[in-house]
Amino acid sequence: MTKYSMYSKMIIHSLIRRRSRMFVALLAVAIGATVLSGLVTIYYDVPRQMGREFRSYGANLIFIPVGNSQVFQEQDVVRATALLPQEKIVGAAPYLYDRLKVNEQPVMVAGTRFQEVKKVSPFWQIRGQWPEEKSEDVVIGAEVAELLKVEPGQTITLAAANSSSEKKVKVAGVVRTGGTEENFLFMDLPLLQNLLQKNDQMSVAQVSIMATEAELNTLTRAVEEQVPGITPRLVKRVTQSEGMVLGKLQALVYLVTIVVLLLTLICVATTMMAVVAERRKEIGLKKALGADNRSIALEFLGEGLTLGALGGLLGTILGFFFAQTVSVNVFGRAISFQPLIAVSALVVAIVVAGVACLIPVRVATAVEPAIVLRGE
């Protein structure tokens, strides 16, 4: 214990005596650990954050009927959805498509559940308001509304092609998406099923789920095997875009991390080389008094590893706050502290500081006492 206590005191006193130089090295390690810890924390949390952001672009998984079938049963969708990780599902919007007469004009109609549509397709822009749950009010696409000269709050008449009965409903809102939705009239799914006498039938189901393309491929295979009435399909433009963005972000994190670690290593190595140059006489005197190369090497390695530990600890703490700030400002959501990342950043900082000391240690052990003490 006395030996280790003496060794610790020697390291601390050496760092304090050269605090200006050591502060530069400590700052370099702390900055490196801050960037490393912050970027890795952000990268670890980005798939979850980006997954939420990409969900605003619509569904990334759809269920369609098998083969030439036009519809499937609602219970098939329930079974398929149950196979998905429930905690990752943002929403699942079913649709039943057909054609009705709206004010004597043929219009494509879609029956759906508006509460799920708001989750799956948050990009819909509604002029007016969304229909209340289990309401008979409808939402009409902007193109159809312009064709029929209909505004929110007005009443329209619906009639099935094979039926003489009519039903009057109120237009709750007009939807704009910039897509095909503007050519449809949307109504509550059970209401359309009753009008068409297609109880419990659906044409398609759109699912928005936070998962990578690889995870989605695994889920689609499971659905195909266990629910024979449904064919799952990935929405490629969404899943591939998400994968491409995450891949580029991963490459950027790797590149920045490597550059920062190299700069940290160079800065620490340069500082320790300057310290060795200053202490050549001290090293020569220690060797003349009987100190071997091992003790000289351990002294300088101890200083470097201590700098790495202190800088790594400081950088890990600052890195979390850095990642938290970035996440809140960019994604509007806080992140959680990851102990494994913190420990890894601390270990990497210590290893980098240790590696940076290898060349200065080699120079220190090569000092010749006789030459140094003669003043040469």
Side-chain angles (χ1 to χ4, degrees), residues 127-353:
R127 181 164 59 88
Q129 62 183 13
W130 286 93
E132 296 181 2
E133 192 173 357
K134 297 183 179 179
S135 167
E136 293 189 351
D137 295 349
V138 301
V139 169
I140 192 168
E143 295 291 335
V144 179
E146 185 177 349
L147 175 66
L148 300 177
K149 309 298 180 185
V150 174
E151 293 293 330
Q154 294 183 351
T155 300
I156 58 177
T157 303
L158 304 179
N162 58 352
S163 174
S164 59
S165 62
E166 296 181 345
K167 186 172 187 62
K168 294 186 179 296
V169 296
K170 186 177 76 172
V171 177
V174 175
V175 60
R176 282 194 177 275
T177 65
T180 57
E181 292 87 357
E182 295 185 9
N183 298 310
F184 283 79
L185 180 146
F186 297 91
M187 59 196 305
D188 190 51
L189 178 61
L191 177 60
L192 182 60
Q193 288 173 335
N194 290 334
L195 283 174
L196 300 175
Q197 298 180 355
K198 293 183 177 181
N199 294 332
D200 299 327
Q201 293 185 358
M202 299 177 183
S203 302
V204 67
Q206 297 182 358
V207 181
S208 180
I209 180 172
M210 293 186 296
T212 64
E213 186 173 4
E215 292 173 335
L216 287 172
N217 285 324
T218 302
L219 293 173
T220 56
R221 287 193 293 270
V223 172
E224 284 180 336
E225 293 172 359
Q226 300 185 43
V227 187
I230 281 181
T231 300
R233 290 287 183 268
L234 300 186
V235 182
K236 293 292 185 180
R237 69 178 185 274
V238 176
T239 56
Q240 289 180 350
S241 297
E242 186 173 353
M244 183 175 62
V245 170
L246 292 176
K248 290 182 177 180
L249 180 63
Q250 182 184 35
L252 178 62
V253 169
Y254 285 157
L255 179 62
V256 173
T257 300
I258 291 173
V259 170
V260 169
L261 291 179
L262 284 175
L263 292 176
T264 301
L265 189 147
I266 293 171
C267 185
V268 174
T270 303
T271 302
M272 295 304 294
M273 284 291 290
V275 170
V276 170
E278 286 181 0
R279 297 171 61 183
R280 289 182 75 246
K281 289 186 177 181
E282 177 187 334
I283 296 170
L285 181 59
K286 287 182 177 180
K287 282 192 170 185
L289 294 175
D292 57 10
N293 286 338
R294 181 174 177 273
S295 62
I296 299 295
L298 287 176
E299 180 179 349
F300 282 97
L301 279 176
E303 293 177 13
L305 294 177
T306 301
L307 285 174
L310 294 176
L313 181 61
L314 179 61
T316 299
I317 297 172
L318 294 176
F320 171 73
F321 288 107
F322 165 67
Q324 186 78 275
T325 302
V326 171
S327 182
V328 170
N329 289 322
V330 175
F331 298 107
R333 301 183 182 92
I335 60 175
S336 57
F337 180 74
Q338 301 294 331
L340 182 59
I341 294 177
V343 173
S344 300
L346 179 60
V347 171
V348 170
I350 294 174
V351 170
V352 169

Side-chain angles (χ1 to χ4, degrees), residues 80-151:
T81 306
L83 296 174
L84 307 178
Q86 301 301 302
E87 71 281 0
K88 293 186 177 182
I89 297 178
V90 176
Y95 289 91
L96 174 62
Y97 296 113
D98 212 312
R99 189 179 294 273
L100 294 180
K101 287 185 178 180
V102 181
N103 290 350
E104 300 299 327
Q105 295 287 334
V107 173
M108 285 299 299
V109 179
T112 187
R113 295 193 177 95
F114 291 110
Q115 295 302 316
E116 294 299 316
V117 171
K118 287 192 283 186
K119 299 175 185 177
V120 175
S121 304
F123 59 88
W124 282 25
Q125 299 177 6
I126 299 292
R127 181 164 59 88
Q129 62 183 13
W130 286 93
E132 296 181 2
E133 192 173 357
K134 297 183 179 179
S135 167
E136 293 189 351
D137 295 349
V138 301
V139 169
I140 192 168
E143 295 291 335
V144 179
E146 185 177 349
L147 175 66
L148 300 177
K149 309 298 180 185
V150 174
E151 293 293 330

